[in-house]
Amino acid sequence: MTAKNSFPTALRTLRKSRGLSQEAFSEVSSRTYMSSLERGLKNPTLSKVDELCEVMQVHPLTLLALAYGLDAKGADKLLARVQRELAALQEVPAD
């Protein structure tokens, strides 16, 4: 699975769809950092992705699905795959 869109494009698209400016993230990031993320100059940690998604009021998987260029149908397939993989992990005995 390869990303059809990039994380920077997905972040910018989602932010704009929520009607948010880069300054709206000031409690979790500087405008400069947001700009760097949206231009692909920096890569966020998982913690930062979670904080950004809290501001946008979406689950982090929504942002990642958008980064992979998924529409609702593609997301359904991906979520079904993730459910199968998680179920398989639960079947593996813990060490």
Side-chain angles (χ1 to χ4, degrees):
M1 184 179 305
T2 60
K4 292 180 184 175
N5 293 324
S6 65
F7 181 86
T9 300
L11 179 60
R12 182 174 34 262
T13 299
L14 189 53
R15 175 182 61 77
K16 287 183 176 185
S17 77
R18 299 306 235 182
L20 299 169
S21 67
Q22 290 179 340
E23 289 81 11
F25 295 81
S26 64
E27 299 225 359
V28 298
S29 293
S30 69
R31 192 208 54 79
T32 303
Y33 182 69
M34 285 297 296
S35 177
S36 295
L37 289 176
E38 290 184 0
R39 290 182 293 138
L41 301 176
K42 297 200 182 241
N43 295 306
T45 63
L46 287 175
S47 299
K48 185 55 70 177
V49 169
D50 191 55
E51 290 174 353
L52 297 172
C53 287
E54 281 185 34
V55 173
M56 294 184 286
Q57 298 181 338
V58 298
H59 193 281
L61 289 178
T62 303
L63 176 57
L64 294 178
L66 186 59
Y68 278 90
L70 298 177
D71 57 12
K73 189 172 185 175
D76 286 344
K77 287 181 181 179
L78 175 62
L79 291 174
R81 176 181 172 179
V82 169
Q83 286 177 324
R84 287 190 307 274
E85 291 172 355
L86 289 172
L89 286 171
Q90 290 176 339
E91 295 171 5
V92 176
D95 290 333

